[in-house]
Amino acid sequence: MGLSASIARPSKRRPRARRRPQPAVAPTAPNRTLELASTPLNFMRNETIFSEGEPAECIYKIESGCVRTYAMLKNGERQLLAFHVPGDCFGLEDRDLRTMSAEATTDSAILVVKRKALMTRNGDAASMMRYLLDLTAEELRRTQRHNKLLLKGAQERVIGFLLEMKERRGVETEIALHMTRRDIADYLGLTIETVSRTLSRLESEAAISLPTPWRIVLRVPAALNLQ
């Protein structure tokens, strides 16, 4: 069974594999090995990438777009765990079954590779293991920062989110948001109204501007404690 079939989703629309030329000699660098062993797929906005409870057979790397991972609580509410942006790997699990679900928040291009394929390709297995451990450690650090952010007040959470996106996107002042206000609210443990009200307050203070719902410009860095 091919890779695309092995990650089939309940949606009627199947992902589209994109052709990509392969070099004659594959480099052995772990990151490059992951790319060469992968299948590139496109996911539309809100399309499911994998679901909680499915076999955790694949690792994913974002080339473009954005992905949200979340878990469903017993009361039926959604707990949004993380956003993943271009360059991020996600789907690393220490169990056989998925403990969370993943969806594209916007049209996204994603590399999908089976974990077994990484370990069977020619190359340094020890280097690959270190690479995967480094990815897991980075994900843990982001989770720890997120947990600390949730202990703060509403405005500090929103500002912390903007600074996180600024850092991870590698931008100076303009942040492209590929997620809804509801996504941001769930991520920060706030209501949609509180997120919108906080952004409007920051805009009225000239700390930011909101040209569109999907774009935020940081106007006064000092007001966001960037200094």
Side-chain angles (χ1 to χ4, degrees):
M1 180 180 293
L3 179 57
S4 298
S6 69
I7 57 169
R9 300 177 297 287
S11 61
K12 295 182 180 179
R13 192 179 184 283
R14 300 184 65 182
R16 301 170 304 287
R18 295 172 287 116
R19 293 183 179 180
R20 184 185 57 204
Q22 298 290 338
V25 179
T28 58
N31 183 56
R32 187 63 177 144
T33 298
L34 184 149
E35 294 176 353
L36 292 170
S38 67
T39 296
L41 299 177
N42 292 325
F43 293 85
M44 295 185 67
R45 180 185 177 191
N46 293 328
E47 190 171 1
T48 299
I49 300 169
F50 58 76
S51 299
E52 185 173 353
E54 291 181 351
E57 298 177 341
C58 298
I59 297 172
Y60 304 79
K61 182 176 181 180
I62 303 181
E63 290 189 303
S64 65
C66 182
V67 169
R68 59 178 169 250
T69 53
Y70 65 93
M72 298 302 297
L73 303 179
K74 292 182 178 179
N75 61 6
E77 293 183 1
R78 180 182 71 162
Q79 182 180 26
L80 209 155
L81 304 172
F83 292 112
H84 299 281
V85 299
D88 285 355
C89 290
F90 66 99
L92 294 161
E93 298 266 9
D94 61 354
R95 302 180 185 181
D96 293 332
L97 299 179
R98 296 285 180 199
T99 59
M100 64 188 75
S101 300
E103 295 173 344
T105 67
T106 188
D107 292 353
S108 301
I110 298 177
L111 301 179
V112 187
V113 59
K114 287 195 172 183
R115 290 189 295 182
K116 290 182 179 179
L118 288 179
M119 308 313 298
T120 56
R121 284 187 67 91
N122 293 332
D124 186 346
S127 295
M128 178 57 67
M129 289 299 298
R130 285 194 298 270
Y131 175 68
L132 295 178
L133 285 173
D134 287 344
L135 292 177
T136 303
E138 177 58 30
E139 185 67 20
L140 178 59
R141 285 190 289 269
R142 281 202 291 262
T143 299
Q144 291 173 336
R145 288 195 295 267
H146 182 218
N147 289 339
K148 289 180 180 179
L149 186 63
L150 295 181
L151 299 176
K152 299 182 179 181
Q155 181 158 313
E156 290 176 296
R157 294 187 204 184
V158 173
I159 290 175
F161 169 76
L162 296 179
L163 299 184
E164 177 189 353
M165 290 296 105
K166 172 185 179 295
E167 176 185 353
R168 294 177 63 190
R169 290 285 188 177
V171 298
E172 291 298 325
T173 58
E174 187 169 324
I175 305 170
L177 295 180
H178 296 297
M179 64 285 290
T180 65
R181 295 291 189 266
R182 182 200 169 195
D183 286 336
I184 297 172
D186 286 354
Y187 181 66
L188 297 177
L190 302 171
T191 64
I192 299 175
E193 293 76 17
T194 298
V195 170
S196 298
R197 188 166 54 247
T198 302
L199 290 173
S200 296
R201 184 185 307 119
L202 292 172
E203 185 177 36
S204 68
E205 295 171 353
I208 66 173
S209 62
L210 302 167
T212 74
W214 310 104
R215 188 160 61 95
I216 293 180
V217 178
L218 309 182
R219 299 178 61 86
V220 184
L224 296 176
N225 297 319
L226 292 176
Q227 301 292 343

